[in-house]
């Protein structure tokens, strides 16, 4: 049970004063359905406006945000029926500035900016047509208003329909609900690192006194990141301890079914695949629970290892599950595995969130009766109604999107379920243990034979016409091409419009052989778009990054990535990994907008140098570290809200040691500090692990 002291933080954001039903809906889009007060508190500002910057007009820097003390000199309303803006000329003793209001509310302007009055206007100063202007000042204040102006104003990530002031007000109200929680960190550790308390740290983030206060390296932010990492590490250590205690069941395969699958393959397993399978089967055979990570670069053939592992438990008369992060991937796994599985006598089923009720009930009944051997699906597999007859092995694809919660939920679907986690994001050795907890690891280092290196080029975007022409020639001779559109940071809608535009333009050039797939499409439309490309009905597939993970169309040999400079290294590598999967010669074009920053340049040259995902992962980590220094930080770490491993990686090992020490001294979290730590686990949604604690 959640400690009652946390209840105010778990209330719906809609219960906050000033958050009406409409704003609540926007918050749901921003923070997820059922957004809670704590979600809002953890939605930290990503920058801050310094309103202390109060120069004279003459000294004010253009294109920066300034607060000017001015006198209102002249009103210039738009003439007659003109739709032009309403302008107000303001001045100080050093110069003047035009305030510009489009679609102005004249009454408001007259009231706020009376002629001759002294006012403070704050906003972005620009030079337009030889004159300084400020379009729609953020603030127009009199002396009293100025006194209330926060010197530094937090700026939050938004979603359409939501404004800074909505989030600011809501965050304010959320802070007021923050109860006094007992400290869960070791006081000596806090003192040594000069860390503030949890509440103080949150206040510092939402009420920055200087822009530096919200930097990821600030003490307040480090405190919060550490909290999140500690919660995560505690949960991982608890899960692992629980799995070690729980007796597993031995599943002894006969090799019959997997033998038939292997015999049906047009190729032989790589040495790495054989090795990984041996490790997995060894675990499955033992009466302990497996918790193993299968790491393999894109295209290294993890899916087949998964299928053969699943076949092994079916041979032992039990069932398996394979969980993918998206519908597209679940379907793709299903389609690819089905023929192989069926010729070997395996019965496989598919369960996604989109199934019709009747079909779904049928699948569930067959699963419970043991008429399905292997169930493939999305998160839908976690739902309570999903009951296996005898689940032995759960394979989780692309782990980084799954948390401890899901891992536990899946483990509960059967008695002592073995878990195999697959990831195509090679993780630097230094991070594996800390990131994933204490897992065993199998690695596919080798790629299937016959793969040719991918010819990777960087081309400035001015030469896009040449690329389009080249794509035209390629598709005439039968090639299939992915065209990935720019990533517009944290804004799905803009991502979409870029893709849409490119789709329309390429359709004009190439005709109806161009397809489009993006994250906001209806699921069935996404499938259709993918299938058409798979079958070759479309030969150019314009896509947002939805294709990043796992999509497998071996016939595709060309990958174009627009605005490659906006993508991180790991992402570029994943995208490029969509080609070079068959025996054809593949190429990848990184279109970039010049001039390239230092880090973007480094990323692109690493991409050209190597296809080794592990090397790329190491370089990525290194560059992210440096990127931080160079001020081009990439967006955070999946699964974490406050911690960003590109900045806080050093804290991970500390948190891990801390977690181990805590649990070795107080395994049931019963001491005073243990109780406080329970709050921490709930706060960061790691409370599923609390259930594992046994008294005594
Ligand atoms: P991953 O999931 O690791 O990115 P996949 O499992 O999707 O890779 O495999 C990529 C492609 O390689 C698939 O088309 C698969 O059929 C093929 N493949 C897998 N193993 C081998 C092998 N040993 N030899 C040749 N091709 C293979
Ligand atoms: Mg895969």
């Amino acid at each position: 049970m959640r400690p009652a002291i946390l209840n105010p933080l778990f209330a719906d954001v809609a219960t906050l004063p000033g958050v009406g039903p409409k704003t609540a809906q926007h918050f749901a889009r921003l923070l997820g359905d059922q957004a809670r007060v704590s979600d809002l508190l953890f939605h930290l500002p990503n920058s801050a406006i310094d309103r202390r910057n109060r120069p004279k007009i003459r000294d004010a820097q253009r294109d920066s945000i300034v607060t000017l003390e001015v006198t209102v000199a002249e009103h210039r309303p738009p003439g007659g029926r003109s739709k032009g803006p309403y302008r107000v000329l303001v001045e100080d003793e050093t110069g003047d500035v035009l305030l510009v209001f489009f679609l102005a509310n004249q009454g408001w302007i007259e009231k706020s900016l009376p002629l001759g009055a002294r006012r403070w206007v704050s906003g972005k100063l620009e030079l337009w047509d030889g004159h300084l202007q400020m379009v729609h000042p953020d603030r127009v204040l009199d002396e009293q208003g100025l006194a209330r102006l926060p010197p530094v104003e937090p700026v939050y990530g938004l979603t359409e329909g939501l404004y800074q002031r909505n989030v600011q007000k809501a965050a304010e109200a959320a802070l007021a609900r923050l109860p006094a929680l007992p400290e869960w960190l070791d006081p000596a550790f806090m003192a040594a690192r000069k860390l503030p308390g949890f509440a103080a740290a949150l206040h510092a983030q939402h009420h920055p006194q200087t822009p530096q206060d919200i930097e990821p390296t600030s003490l307040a932010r480090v405190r919060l990141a550490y909290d999140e990492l500690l919660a995560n590490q505690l949960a991982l250590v608890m899960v692992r301890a629980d799995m070690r205690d729980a007796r597993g069941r031995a599943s002894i395969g006969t090799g019959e079914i997997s033998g038939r699958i292997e015999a049906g393959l047009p190729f032989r397993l790589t040495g790495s695949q054989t090795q990984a399978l041996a490790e997995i089967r060894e675990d499955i055979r033992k009466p302990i629970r497996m918790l193993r990570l299968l790491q393999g670069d894109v295209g290294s053939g993890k899916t087949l290892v998964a299928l053969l592992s699943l076949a092994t438990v079916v041979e032992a008369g039990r069932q398996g599950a394979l969980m993918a992060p998206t519908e597209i991937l679940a379907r793709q796994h299903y389609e690819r595995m089905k023929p192989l599985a069926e010729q070997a006598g395996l019965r496989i089923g598919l369960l996604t969130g989109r199934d019709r009720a009747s079909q779904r009930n049928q699948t569930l009944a067959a699963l419970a009766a043991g008429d399905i051997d292997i169930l493939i699906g999305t998160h839908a597999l976690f739902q309570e109604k999903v009951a296996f007859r005898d689940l032995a092995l759960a394979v989780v694809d692309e782990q980084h999107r799954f948390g401890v919660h899901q891992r536990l939920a899946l483990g509960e679907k059967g008695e002592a379920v073995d878990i195999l986690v697959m990831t195509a994001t090679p993780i630097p050795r230094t991070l594996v243990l800390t990131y994933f907890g204490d897992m065993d690891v199998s690695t596919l280092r080798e790629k299937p034979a016959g793969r040719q290196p991918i010819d990777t080029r960087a081309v400035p975007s001015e030469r896009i016409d040449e690329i389009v022409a080249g794509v035209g020639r390629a598709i005439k001779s039968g090639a299939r091409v992915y065209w990935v559109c720019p990533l517009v940071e944290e804004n799905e809608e803009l991502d979409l419009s870029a893709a849409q535009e490119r789709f329309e333009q390429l359709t004009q050039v190439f005709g109806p052989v161009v397809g489009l797939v993006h994250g906001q499409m209806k699921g069935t439309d996404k499938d259709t778009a993918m299938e058409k490309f798979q079958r070759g009905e479309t030969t150019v597939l314009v896509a947002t990054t939805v294709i990043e993970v796992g999509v497998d169309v071996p016939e595709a040999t060309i990958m174009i990535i627009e605005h490659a400079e906006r993508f991180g290294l790991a992402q570029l590598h994943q995208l490029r990994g969509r080609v070079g999967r068959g025996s054809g010669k593949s190429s990848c074009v990184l279109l970039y907008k010049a001039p390239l920053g230092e880090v973007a340049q480094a990323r692109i040259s690493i991409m050209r140098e190597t296809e080794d995902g592990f090397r790329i992962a190491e370089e990525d980590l290194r560059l992210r570290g440096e990127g931080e220094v160079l001020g081009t930080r990439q967006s955070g770490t999946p699964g974490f809200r406050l911690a960003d491993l590109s900045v806080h990686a050093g804290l991970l090992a500390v948190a891990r040691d801390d977690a181990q020490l805590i649990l070795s001294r107080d395994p049931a979290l019963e001491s005073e500090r243990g109780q406080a730590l329970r709050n921490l686990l709930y706060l960061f949604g790691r409370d599923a692990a609390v259930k594992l604690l046994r008294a005594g």
Side-chain angles (χ1 to χ4, degrees):
M1 266 261 292
R2 183 171 68 220
I5 192 172
L6 297 176
N7 287 348
L9 297 178
F10 280 78
D12 204 296
V13 286
T15 64
L16 291 171
V19 179
K22 195 134 174 226
T23 315
Q25 272 180 15
H26 295 318
F27 276 125
R29 278 217 6 231
L30 182 69
L31 306 168
D33 289 340
Q34 292 162 352
R36 293 161 165 165
V37 171
S38 63
D39 294 316
L40 193 60
L41 287 175
F42 294 158
H43 183 59
L44 301 184
N46 49 33
S47 63
I49 297 175
D50 195 344
R51 304 235 183 249
R52 297 167 308 175
N53 181 14
R54 296 188 188 167
K56 291 287 170 208
I57 291 176
R58 187 184 51 210
D59 307 324
Q61 218 180 7
R62 279 168 227 158
D63 298 317
S64 68
I65 292 180
V66 294
T67 304
L68 302 172
E69 180 182 352
V70 295
T71 308
V72 181
E74 192 187 328
H75 278 227
R76 299 181 188 164
R81 292 154 148 239
S82 151
K83 293 236 170 72
Y86 194 113
R87 295 189 172 85
V88 178
L89 187 74
V90 297
E91 60 187 18
D92 68 9
E93 64 277 17
T94 67
D96 54 25
V97 173
L98 272 174
L99 307 182
V100 180
F101 301 89
F102 293 96
L103 300 172
N105 172 347
Q106 186 158 350
W108 178 85
I109 295 176
E110 283 164 359
K111 212 175 95 213
S112 320
L113 290 158
L115 266 184
R118 194 155 63 108
R119 287 291 180 265
W120 285 261
V121 293
S122 189
K124 190 163 169 197
L125 195 66
E126 297 162 319
L127 191 67
W128 174 256
D129 223 2
H131 204 281
L132 284 175
Q133 67 171 29
M134 192 183 278
V135 179
H136 292 265
D138 305 333
R139 296 280 187 284
V140 175
L141 303 166
D142 57 15
E143 191 137 23
Q144 285 164 341
L146 182 73
R148 286 194 304 267
L149 179 71
V152 175
E153 203 175 300
V155 179
Y156 296 93
L158 297 175
T159 184
E160 205 181 311
L162 204 60
Y163 296 92
Q164 289 300 339
R165 61 171 185 282
N166 300 131
V167 187
Q168 284 166 6
K169 262 173 64 184
E172 200 61 45
L175 279 173
R177 296 257 178 106
L178 191 60
L181 298 171
E183 182 55 67
W184 47 74
L185 291 189
D186 176 22
F189 172 73
M190 283 175 65
R193 299 226 173 200
K194 301 196 171 60
L195 298 180
F198 176 70
L202 280 173
H203 275 276
Q205 294 298 289
H206 293 287
H207 288 153
Q209 297 302 304
T210 72
Q212 289 74 43
D213 287 351
I214 62 160
E215 278 179 8
T217 47
S218 69
L219 292 174
R221 182 65 192 281
V222 165
R223 154 80 209 215
L224 296 171
Y226 188 76
D227 284 340
E228 185 171 40
L229 292 172
L230 181 61
N232 191 54
Q233 290 301 314
L234 275 172
L236 287 172
V237 174
M238 285 153 78
V239 170
R240 186 57 175 156
D242 180 66
M243 292 198 78
R244 271 216 196 88
D245 291 356
R247 287 185 58 80
R249 266 175 59 190
S251 299
I252 300 175
T254 57
E256 217 175 303
I257 302 174
S258 39
R260 282 200 294 267
I261 295 176
E262 271 192 60
L265 292 172
F267 48 73
R268 295 172 53 131
L269 298 185
T270 65
S272 288
Q273 283 172 319
T274 308
Q275 165 87 25
L277 261 173
E279 289 163 0
I280 293 164
R281 286 180 173 146
E282 178 73 22
D283 282 358
I284 291 175
R285 192 178 302 130
K286 285 192 212 149
I288 50 158
R289 289 175 77 173
M290 171 171 80
L291 185 54
R292 182 173 286 275
L293 180 70
L294 176 62
Q295 277 202 89
D297 206 352
V298 281
S300 57
K302 292 182 293 295
T303 315
L304 188 59
V305 173
L307 178 62
L308 290 168
S309 309
L310 290 164
T312 303
V313 301
V314 178
E315 289 163 7
R318 306 182 66 194
Q319 289 168 301
L322 171 66
M323 191 164 57
T326 65
E327 296 264 354
I328 289 190
L329 284 177
R331 237 160 252 280
Q332 176 182 291
H333 278 314
Y334 178 72
E335 301 295 340
R336 306 228 146 220
M337 287 187 174
K338 203 171 138 121
L340 276 174
E342 284 181 347
Q343 55 95 16
L346 275 177
R347 297 160 300 177
I348 72 172
L350 176 68
L351 186 76
T352 75
R354 268 195 269 132
D355 300 338
R356 280 208 198 88
S358 57
Q359 196 204 329
R360 182 183 173 74
N361 291 336
Q362 216 176 333
T363 307
L364 291 179
L367 189 70
D371 293 336
I372 289 178
D373 298 316
I374 296 173
L375 185 64
I376 297 175
T378 54
H379 289 78
L381 293 187
F382 295 132
Q383 284 154 0
E384 272 159 38
K385 289 207 189 107
V386 179
F388 290 79
R389 190 177 60 81
D390 184 14
L391 179 64
L393 170 63
V395 180
V396 180
D397 194 5
E398 312 299 359
Q399 148 78 20
H400 55 281
R401 310 211 177 176
F402 291 99
V404 169
H405 256 287
Q406 286 101 328
R407 218 190 262 177
L408 287 170
L410 200 67
E412 280 163 10
K413 290 283 174 206
E415 191 193 328
V417 178
D418 284 327
I419 295 183
L420 178 67
V421 173
M422 303 198 292
T423 174
T425 313
I427 297 151
R429 252 191 324 276
T430 45
L431 284 188
V432 170
L433 279 181
T434 29
Y435 202 178
F436 287 94
D438 206 358
M439 292 176 100
D440 299 309
V441 182
S442 295
T443 303
L444 301 183
R445 275 242 159 225
E446 223 175 322
K447 292 222 175 143
R451 299 274 166 85
Q452 300 190 41
I454 301 169
D455 177 21
T456 301
R457 288 176 204 194
V459 176
S461 53
E462 293 84 60
R463 288 170 48 198
I464 191 167
D465 290 346
E466 286 168 44
I467 301 302
V468 172
V471 165
R473 286 192 298 276
I475 57 175
K476 273 213 188 79
S477 58
R480 254 174 265 174
V481 181
Y482 290 107
W483 189 298
V484 176
C485 279
L487 183 76
V488 182
E489 204 177 356
E490 287 170 49
N491 190 331
E492 279 181 41
E493 259 137 58
L494 285 181
D495 283 354
L496 173 58
S497 77
Q500 196 98 39
E501 244 170 68
R502 185 60 70 214
F503 165 72
E504 279 158 23
Q505 188 238 340
L506 292 178
T507 302
Q508 273 187 5
V509 181
F510 300 134
V513 296
V514 184
L516 174 66
V517 61
H518 58 74
Q520 288 177 23
M521 265 160 111
K522 266 217 320 254
T524 44
D525 295 345
K526 256 191 261 186
D527 294 346
T528 314
M530 284 310 305
E531 279 160 16
K532 278 188 166 168
F533 186 63
Q534 241 147 19
R535 287 197 299 263
E537 284 166 38
T538 54
T539 50
V540 178
L541 185 64
V542 175
T544 57
T545 48
V546 291
I547 62 153
E548 180 189 336
V549 177
V551 171
D552 187 27
V553 181
E555 295 85 356
T557 53
I558 299 177
M559 166 64 64
I560 316 283
I561 304 173
E562 275 192 66
H563 278 288
E565 78 281 358
R566 295 191 193 161
F567 292 90
L569 202 43
Q571 222 173 358
L572 288 174
H573 177 65
Q574 287 292 320
L575 286 169
R576 180 174 60 183
R578 299 306 111 214
V579 298
R581 300 170 82 81
S583 50
K585 177 98 187 128
S586 292
S587 53
C588 172
V589 177
L590 305 172
L591 276 171
Y592 65 89
K593 187 152 168 29
L596 281 178
E598 215 170 308
V599 171
Q601 189 143 28
R603 277 192 219 129
I604 286 178
S605 61
I606 291 160
M607 285 294 291
R608 300 201 46 196
E609 235 167 78
T610 181
E611 278 177 56
D612 177 349
F614 290 92
R615 158 120 199 263
I616 289 178
E618 303 275 0
E619 294 285 345
D620 192 26
L621 196 69
R622 190 178 61 78
L623 278 181
R624 279 170 182 244
E626 286 174 13
E628 183 51 35
V629 178
L630 296 168
T632 53
R633 202 162 62 82
Q634 299 175 19
S635 56
T637 303
F640 292 95
R641 293 195 277 185
L642 308 180
D644 179 345
L645 288 189
S646 67
V647 187
H648 304 123
L651 295 175
L652 244 180
V654 184
R656 182 159 185 261
D657 291 349
D658 204 0
Q660 277 171 339
L661 188 66
I662 289 165
L663 288 166
S664 71
R665 287 186 182 157
D666 181 15
L669 294 185
E670 284 171 327
S671 66
E672 207 175 309
R673 185 175 177 209
Q675 298 291 339
L677 284 160
R678 286 176 183 236
N679 290 341
L680 175 71
L681 289 167
Y682 278 95
L683 269 174
F684 285 99
R686 301 307 203 271
D687 50 287
V690 174
K691 276 191 296 196
L692 302 176
L693 296 172
R694 262 159 304 232

